[in-house]
Amino acid sequence: MRAFLSGLVLVLAITGAQAQSTVTPAPAASAVTELPAVSVSGVQPGPGLWKVSRGDHVLWVLGTLPNLPAAVQWRADEVDRVLGEAGALLLPPRLDVKVDSGFFGKLFLLPSALSARKNPDGKTLQEVLPAPLYARWAVLKAKYIGRDEGIERWRPLFAARELYKQALKHSGLRSGGQITATVRSLAERHGVRVVSTDYRLEIREPREVLKIFKAQAPEDVACFARTLDSVEHDLPLIAQRAAAWATGDIATLRALPDSHHRDACIGALSDSGFARELGIDDVPGRLEAVWLAAAEDALARYPVSVAILPMEEVLDTDGYLAKLAARGYRIEPPDADAETPAPAASAGR
């Protein structure tokens, strides 16, 4: 799950992102050309809304993707209309990391946090990776990152994440997070209650967490290799999924598989001694439980409510909507002829 991966990487970088919020951010990367084969621009409708219901109470669900075409503007008319009738908006599930440290504590932690991002003993990627894997990295780094020598001392997990981010920008894609921001703004304009579905992780001893991470860091070579696979082969598919989202083409979203490079990364993180030591090796399950509880509460309390979910949780046969279907809720996709997600074989993920 994206929310888990993003949140747990924040834990691994421990307090680094929060500390860096106190310094001047780097300039944004300049715009790049979109992939011509899937070029989509201008105002687009996005996908329709999934209808979750029991009796006469309805939860309308907007599925989102992590990346969208850079030149697209989303027309939010349908969401705006249902928010005008809604009692609550459920935000996407997210791991919220709270570091118990004041402003100066964060500043003092920053150098140590940044050192946790680096390989032990000052080793380079060339020293810690198998030679064929490093050769692939060198080619992709030259294409998407350029002459950045500092990244050569990062742990594979962090280097892979930066490569993936830069490759997406190069492919004419931008973050899909603006969709959530837009929907939240519309909800606030309508006076709709905004409901967080975050799972909060409190870090009370950040220095101790840094020590644990350095001693029990994840084995992240598999994550690194799968990320290189994705950059080498999946970018056109990711761009096609982004274009399908923008134009509301649900059939194409169903037909095009998601890139699963995250699975290897999530496995490396959640199976590590670091995650087990902190008790965060089942964050995906906890996120799911929080969201399902919030969804059932909204459906019971309000005649109309709205939720934002990652598209994988909307479409997957083991996703959140499938879990609601297994609990007896009626799921209706926006394309009338499509099938409802099949209930999962078990409640676990």
Side-chain angles (χ1 to χ4, degrees), residues 238-259:
I238 293 169
Q240 288 169 8
R241 283 176 56 83
W245 186 97
T247 57
D249 187 350
I250 305 299
T252 296
L253 286 172
R254 282 195 178 92
L256 292 177
D258 193 7
S259 171

Side-chain angles (χ1 to χ4, degrees), residues 51-319:
K51 182 180 180 181
V52 181
S53 62
R54 176 176 284 174
D56 58 356
H57 283 209
V58 176
L59 172 67
W60 294 101
V61 178
L62 173 67
T64 61
L65 294 180
N67 300 285
L68 296 177
V72 159
Q73 291 179 287
W74 176 49
R75 187 174 70 236
D77 297 358
E78 184 180 11
V79 173
D80 191 23
R81 177 180 58 78
V82 296
L83 281 170
E85 306 171 357
L89 166 67
L90 275 59
L91 296 176
R94 189 176 63 99
L95 176 61
D96 177 28
V97 181
K98 181 180 183 297
V99 179
D100 188 8
S101 177
F103 173 79
F104 289 105
K106 289 184 174 69
L107 287 182
F108 285 124
L109 281 169
L110 177 57
S112 186
L114 293 179
S115 71
R117 187 175 63 180
K118 296 180 179 179
N119 287 310
D121 303 320
K123 290 185 177 180
T124 65
L125 287 172
Q126 189 169 14
E127 292 174 304
V128 301
L129 293 172
L133 192 58
Y134 181 79
R136 291 170 60 197
W137 155 260
V139 172
L140 294 172
K141 178 199 168 191
K143 181 175 182 179
Y144 295 115
I145 297 177
R147 300 178 63 181
D148 181 349
E149 296 306 318
I151 199 172
E152 290 291 331
R153 296 191 179 277
W154 289 12
R155 293 179 184 268
L157 173 71
F158 297 108
R161 187 170 171 82
E162 180 64 18
L163 174 68
Y164 190 73
K165 182 176 73 173
Q166 295 303 327
L168 290 171
K169 289 181 180 179
H170 187 81
S171 299
L173 298 168
R174 62 174 170 83
S175 170
Q178 294 178 7
I179 301 301
T180 296
T182 297
V183 176
R184 181 168 189 161
S185 177
L186 291 172
E188 291 171 349
R189 192 185 72 186
H190 286 292
V192 174
R193 176 183 172 224
V194 176
V195 179
S196 167
T197 62
D198 293 353
Y199 173 73
R200 170 162 284 194
L201 174 66
E202 294 193 16
I203 305 296
R204 298 190 179 277
E205 298 292 340
R207 289 179 177 82
E208 186 63 26
V209 172
L210 282 168
K211 292 179 183 177
I212 295 172
F213 173 60
K214 289 179 180 180
Q216 303 184 46
E219 295 293 334
D220 49 3
V221 173
C223 163
F224 187 87
R226 185 62 190 91
T227 303
L228 296 195
D229 291 343
S230 188
V231 171
E232 289 170 335
H233 305 297
D234 295 345
L235 289 177
L237 181 147
I238 293 169
Q240 288 169 8
R241 283 176 56 83
W245 186 97
T247 57
D249 187 350
I250 305 299
T252 296
L253 286 172
R254 282 195 178 92
L256 292 177
D258 193 7
S259 171
H260 291 292
H261 83 277
R262 293 179 304 277
D263 294 348
C265 299
I266 290 173
L269 294 171
S270 61
D271 293 341
S272 67
F274 167 76
R276 289 193 295 271
E277 183 79 18
L278 292 181
I280 56 175
D281 47 334
D282 188 33
V283 171
R286 299 180 196 187
L287 283 168
E288 178 186 284
V290 170
W291 190 89
L292 290 174
E296 292 199 279
D297 179 70
L299 278 158
R301 186 180 300 192
Y302 304 106
V304 178
S305 51
V306 180
I308 308 168
L309 267 183
M311 191 61 78
E312 64 194 45
E313 301 298 351
V314 173
L315 293 178
D316 285 3
T317 57
D318 193 32

